[in-house]
Amino acid sequence: MSDSTNTPETSRPTRGDQASHDPGVSVRHTRAKGEPRFPDGPKADPAGSHFERRIRSFQPRRSRVTAGQADALQRLWPKWGLDIDGQQVVDLAELFGNDNPVVLEIGFGMGEATAQMAAADSGTNILAVDVHTPGQGNLLNLADHHGLSNVRVANGDAIILLREMLVPDSLDGLRVYFPDPWPKKRHHKRRLIQPEFLSLAATRLRPGAIVHCATDWEPYAEQMLEVLSAHPDFENTQADGGFAPRPEFRPLTRFEGQGLDKGHVVNDLLFRRVPHGKPQEQRTP
């Protein structure tokens, strides 16, 4: 999962009984063995050993958590956080407090783009999944700062979330932006966008729901296009069957801008979930 319970954190000077820390400064704290990193925050391994061991599309990223991120995790996780333990079915209307459409975002980095999209479309709920604790804290902090009540942050394996915790036809969209490309050939099996993943996602997406992927790794973009085009549950929104222009609702991230400055090509893919049982049009070779 995203963090080890043995990950060190910074210790700050104290005055009396109250800790003193500055925003943006990493937090270290000496914890007893077995003590959770954030007692009221995300668990280090929410699913534990309840499910099978399998090849994952993500790898843990351990980095320091700033004071602001740690504060957000402690304050807001009980209200806006969800540990993916696979032991419960999530009532999305109850989770968000309304019946608005829900889009699942897998892998949100530090959450800046997620927060921008949530602010621009308050009528759509975003369930954002990642395993990176600093990013989780940062997104919660952004949501709190900007008053974004349509964001919930999920911690853990998105496959378990889809398979065990969401009911059929519960999602109105799926976003996968800049997933790990696993560039080495022997690691291609770790890539998220595979036929098996799409078959699972299709069961949770309502007919007409949009799957939106973006990557700056061209070989992965070609694989995504091939796999999505061949899947019977999805159809390309582009008449020419190719990549889509970046839609206005997807912000240009700092990471993406740096890549474009280096000459990277970013490809977007927009595919629609076809109605159940509706065959796709035959494509000519």
Side-chain angles (χ1 to χ4, degrees), residues 162-224:
L162 284 164
R163 193 183 67 200
E164 308 290 342
M165 299 177 68
L166 296 178
V167 299
D169 296 350
S170 56
L171 297 174
D172 292 87
L174 173 64
R175 296 169 180 167
V176 184
Y177 298 154
F178 303 99
D180 194 326
W182 296 102
K184 294 181 180 179
K185 187 173 182 179
R186 69 176 184 271
H187 292 155
H188 286 184
K189 60 182 177 289
R190 294 183 178 273
R191 289 176 172 175
L192 180 63
I193 306 301
Q194 308 276 6
E196 297 80 7
F197 169 76
L198 293 175
S199 293
L200 172 60
T203 66
R204 302 306 188 243
L205 290 163
R206 294 191 176 104
I210 295 295
V211 173
H212 183 193
C213 303
T215 180
D216 64 339
W217 191 260
E218 291 187 81
Y220 194 12
E222 294 290 346
Q223 179 192 324
M224 288 181 178

Side-chain angles (χ1 to χ4, degrees), residues 48-87:
S49 59
H50 300 304
F51 300 96
E52 77 285 356
R53 295 183 64 83
R54 57 180 167 75
I55 296 171
R56 290 176 169 175
S57 63
F58 60 88
Q59 57 185 348
R61 292 179 296 157
R62 299 180 177 91
S63 55
R64 293 182 177 181
V65 177
T66 68
Q69 293 161 2
D71 176 68
L73 287 166
Q74 284 292 103
R75 288 189 302 107
L76 301 171
W77 190 260
K79 178 182 177 184
W80 288 342
L82 173 69
D83 275 312
I84 301 173
D85 59 11
Q87 302 298 298

Side-chain angles (χ1 to χ4, degrees), residues 75-284:
R75 288 189 302 107
L76 301 171
W77 190 260
K79 178 182 177 184
W80 288 342
L82 173 69
D83 275 312
I84 301 173
D85 59 11
Q87 302 298 298
Q88 58 179 316
V89 174
V90 178
D91 184 330
L92 293 175
E94 181 179 339
L95 181 67
F96 284 94
N98 59 56
D99 293 317
N100 291 344
V102 178
V103 171
L104 176 66
E105 182 178 358
I106 300 177
F108 55 81
M110 295 304 291
E112 292 97 339
T114 306
Q116 290 182 55
M117 289 185 290
D121 184 7
S122 60
T124 296
N125 296 325
I126 301 177
L127 179 55
V129 183
D130 211 308
V131 294
H132 189 219
T133 310
Q136 294 167 352
N138 201 59
L139 178 53
L140 287 170
N141 206 15
L142 289 169
D144 186 39
H145 180 73
H146 295 289
L148 305 176
S149 60
N150 58 332
V151 175
R152 298 293 181 269
V153 180
N155 167 52
D157 190 337
I159 300 294
I160 294 176
L161 174 67
L162 284 164
R163 193 183 67 200
E164 308 290 342
M165 299 177 68
L166 296 178
V167 299
D169 296 350
S170 56
L171 297 174
D172 292 87
L174 173 64
R175 296 169 180 167
V176 184
Y177 298 154
F178 303 99
D180 194 326
W182 296 102
K184 294 181 180 179
K185 187 173 182 179
R186 69 176 184 271
H187 292 155
H188 286 184
K189 60 182 177 289
R190 294 183 178 273
R191 289 176 172 175
L192 180 63
I193 306 301
Q194 308 276 6
E196 297 80 7
F197 169 76
L198 293 175
S199 293
L200 172 60
T203 66
R204 302 306 188 243
L205 290 163
R206 294 191 176 104
I210 295 295
V211 173
H212 183 193
C213 303
T215 180
D216 64 339
W217 191 260
E218 291 187 81
Y220 194 12
E222 294 290 346
Q223 179 192 324
M224 288 181 178
L225 183 60
E226 179 181 349
V227 171
L228 277 159
S229 298
H231 201 286
D233 290 325
F234 298 97
E235 62 184 6
N236 199 332
T237 63
Q238 304 303 296
D240 64 359
F243 298 110
R246 179 177 66 86
E248 291 185 0
F249 68 80
R250 183 175 74 77
L252 184 69
T253 66
R254 180 174 50 187
F255 167 82
E256 182 179 358
Q258 291 171 348
L260 291 172
D261 290 341
K262 296 175 183 177
H264 296 183
V265 175
V266 175
N267 286 297
D268 284 73
L269 302 94
L270 290 166
F271 276 72
R272 182 180 295 107
R273 171 71 165 98
V274 299
H276 301 286
K278 176 187 174 183
Q280 285 187 312
E281 295 180 4
Q282 291 294 324
R283 294 183 176 84
T284 55

